[in-house]
């Protein structure tokens, strides 16, 4: 099945931090791929803005290199890159001074959609937002895009929200959590709310527990300073895993529109109980395989930052009371694998007797890699000699199911940037959601600091610290394996 491309209106996109890592790895390649797909109409422009003193030609060379290095070029015919570079421009701009702003203002086309992508540290959000206003860059169709980390805790997130609100309406602010732009993450909503089959069982009466795993094989290479200040709790749990939890646990929104969806997600976050200290495990990887240990990698021999976190959460509402959610994420684990397992309760009574065995139904939603869904069902073990039960997977790979013409789904950034241009905030976090997530996370981190807790070591290329297995075992449950 070939995906349909619906062109957006012509736009001007200004990328602040346009020479930075995110712009080079994600934003420019994503824009190029959308250009190749024919989604960007004539008249659209991409303007890099940064302090680096470059002319437009040198910026185009940088952009071309970034696109070649980061997979932007697939499925694109010869010559397209040159045509794309023709819509790319650059202005040397000082986020904290006046240099460049009048030039930027002159470059923008009156009445087009204007998106300002703040691919910079949160410390500059206020300076840039204020100068966009002061230099008259904003028009009636302006949007401002900000990246995570959206603050370091509740207080800093509130400050950022207040700062942005001084210059822009909430309806113009697009807070990116790139997990929401992933094809399969949206499929969570399609599976839940597009089928009659699952929703009646989607509650504590039928679901024993839910496991959400986001395992990575990469370490923190290249971002040591940021990561050592953040750790897995702030870097992944507060945002990506929390968003997955919301999509799994939320009530059906009345419509697939920004506020109905975000209202329901917010209710889930607000229904989360505080996490008990013994329901959470922090870990830090030791050297292993080819790689260094965490402390060596970040160059801080005494660091107590966690590169792994597992916890048990409770959503205290009518639907979920009594069904625990186990969440875990870590770096340098045995495989790259993001999976949600919805583990159903056992049948209330086995007519086959205890010898036949029992197997819980499990719905596994694989987010990456090998995107797809597997439903584990119980059948009879083949052969004579009585009734013995076994488990088989009803396995669907999205790539196979969508046929030989199936293209790689657009990368999260491709979808999210196009949604910004369309003015659709459904897949972006609202300010109150981000604050509620910090309000849940802050006491956990404060507890660690107060108790002086240090993370448990785990071997690189393993499934994480043994204490995380213990967390499950205490409840007579077990994590599903981490498989590529
Ligand atoms: C980022 C985190 O938000 O997500 C990184 O800062 C992490 O530490 C990354 O590696 C994971 O994203 P993905 O798309 O590779 O699963």
């Amino acid at each position: 099945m070939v995906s349909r491309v619906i062109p957006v209106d012509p736009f001007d996109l200004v990328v602040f931090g346009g020479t930075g890592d995110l712009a080079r790895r994600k934003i420019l390649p994503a824009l190029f791929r959308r250009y190749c797909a024919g989604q960007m109409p004539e008249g659209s422009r991409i303007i890099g803005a940064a302090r680096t003193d470059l002319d437009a030609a040198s910026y185009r060379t940088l952009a071309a290199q970034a696109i070649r290095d980061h997979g932007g070029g697939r499925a694109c015919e010869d010559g397209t890159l040159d045509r794309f570079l023709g819509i790319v421009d650059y202005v040397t701009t000082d986020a904290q001074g006046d240099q460049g702003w009048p030039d930027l203002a002159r470059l923008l086309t009156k009445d087009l959609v204007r998106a300002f992508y703040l691919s910079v540290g949160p410390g500059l959000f206020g300076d840039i937002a204020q100068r966009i206003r002061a230099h008259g860059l904003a028009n009636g169709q302006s949007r401002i895009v900000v990246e995570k980390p959206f603050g370091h805790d509740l207080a800093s997130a509130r400050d950022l929200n207040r700062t942005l609100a001084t210059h822009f309406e909430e309806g113009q602010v697009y807070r990116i959590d790139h997990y929401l732009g992933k094809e399969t993450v949206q499929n969570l909503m399609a599976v839940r709310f597009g089928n009659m089959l699952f929703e009646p069982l989607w509650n504590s009466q039928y679901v024993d527990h839910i496991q959400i795993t986001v395992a990575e094989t990469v370490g923190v290479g290249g971002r040591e300073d940021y990561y050592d200040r953040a750790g897995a709790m702030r870097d992944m749990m507060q945002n990506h895993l929390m968003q997955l939890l919301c999509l799994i646990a939320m009530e059906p929104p009345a419509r697939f529109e920004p506020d109905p969806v975000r209202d329901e997600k917010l209710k889930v976050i607000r229904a989360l109980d505080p996490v008990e200290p013994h329901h959470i495990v922090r870990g830090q990887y030791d050297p292993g395989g080819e790689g260094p240990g965490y402390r060596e990698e970040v160059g801080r021999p005494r660091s107590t930052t966690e590169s792994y976190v597992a916890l048990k959460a409770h959503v205290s509402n009518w639907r979920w009371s009594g069904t625990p959610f186990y969440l875990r994420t870590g770096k340098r684990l045995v495989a790259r694998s993001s999976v949600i397992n919805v583990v159903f309760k056992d049948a209330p009574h086995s007519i086959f007797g205890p010898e036949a065995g029992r197997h819980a139904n499990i719905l596994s939603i694989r987010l990456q890699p090998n995107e797809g869904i597997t439903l584990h069902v119980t059948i009879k073990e083949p052969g004579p000699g009585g009734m013995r039960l076994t488990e088989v997977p009803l396995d669907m790979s999205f790539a196979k199911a969508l046929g030989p013409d199936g293209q790689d789904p657009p990368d999260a950034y491709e979808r999210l940037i196009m949604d910004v241009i369309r003015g659709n905030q459904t897949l972006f976090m609202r300010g109150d959601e981000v604050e509620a997530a910090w309000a849940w996370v802050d006491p956990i981190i404060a507890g660690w600091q107060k108790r002086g807790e240090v993370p448990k070591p785990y071997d690189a290329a393993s499934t994480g610290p043994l204490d995380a297995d213990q967390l499950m075992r205490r409840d007579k449950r077990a994590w599903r394996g981490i498989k590529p």
Side-chain angles (χ1 to χ4, degrees), residues 63-260:
Q65 194 56 46
I67 289 165
R68 283 192 207 100
D69 289 348
H70 299 288
R74 62 173 190 217
C76 220
E77 17 159 300
D78 291 348
T80 317
L81 180 55
D82 287 339
R83 287 199 294 284
F84 173 76
L85 294 175
I87 69 167
V88 174
D89 216 325
Y90 182 79
V91 178
T92 304
T93 311
D94 183 0
Q96 293 175 306
D98 287 327
Q99 187 194 0
W101 291 92
D103 298 332
L104 265 183
R106 265 194 300 279
L107 271 181
L108 298 176
T109 313
K110 198 167 171 270
D111 298 336
L112 287 195
V113 167
R114 284 182 190 175
F116 301 101
Y117 198 130
L118 275 48
S119 175
V120 294
L124 290 178
F125 289 177
D127 290 314
I128 296 178
Q130 184 257 323
R131 284 178 173 75
I132 289 173
R133 282 287 175 207
H135 290 274
L137 267 63
N139 67 3
Q141 295 210 71
S142 297
R143 300 107 165 75
I144 188 149
V145 186
V146 292
E147 272 288 336
K148 74 176 265 270
F150 196 82
H152 194 68
D153 55 12
L154 176 58
S156 53
R158 275 196 182 132
D159 279 351
L160 287 176
N161 276 336
R162 262 195 298 266
T163 306
L164 290 174
T166 317
H167 307 289
F168 291 91
E169 307 278 331
E170 178 63 27
Q172 297 178 293
V173 180
Y174 290 71
R175 294 176 195 78
I176 288 202
D177 180 315
H178 79 281
Y179 266 55
L180 291 176
K182 288 182 190 270
E183 185 76 14
T184 33
V185 173
Q186 290 165 67
N187 242 325
L188 286 179
M189 286 184 275
V191 166
R192 282 196 61 195
F193 305 129
N195 294 287
M196 191 55 202
L197 198 58
F198 302 115
E199 201 49 29
L201 306 180
W202 213 259
N203 55 57
S204 60
Q205 208 183 332
Y206 298 100
V207 177
D208 178 72
H209 73 280
I210 290 175
Q211 303 183 7
I212 304 180
T213 298
V214 177
E216 297 184 276
T217 49
V218 292
V220 295
R223 296 190 309 157
E224 294 81 6
D225 279 346
Y226 153 74
Y227 194 89
D228 201 55
R229 274 181 283 114
M233 193 70 191
R234 290 188 173 100
D235 184 51
M236 297 291 286
M237 191 63 80
Q238 186 270 349
N239 37 77
H240 304 327
L241 277 90
M242 183 78 101
Q243 289 295 322
L244 297 178
L245 168 69
C246 286
L247 299 180
I248 284 288
M250 72 185 188
E251 295 302 314
R255 289 175 305 282
F256 188 57
E257 286 173 12
D259 280 332

Side-chain angles (χ1 to χ4, degrees), residues 315-356:
V315 179
S316 278
N317 61 18
W318 271 52
R319 187 188 282 262
W320 292 116
S321 181
T323 295
F325 288 74
Y326 298 91
L327 277 55
R328 63 176 166 170
T329 181
K331 294 205 180 283
R332 295 264 274 136
L333 295 177
V334 61
R336 174 172 183 256
S337 170
S338 301
V339 184
I340 298 173
N341 286 300
V342 181
V343 182
F344 290 90
K345 291 188 172 170
D346 282 342
H349 164 71
S350 171
I351 64 167
F352 308 109
E355 317 75 57

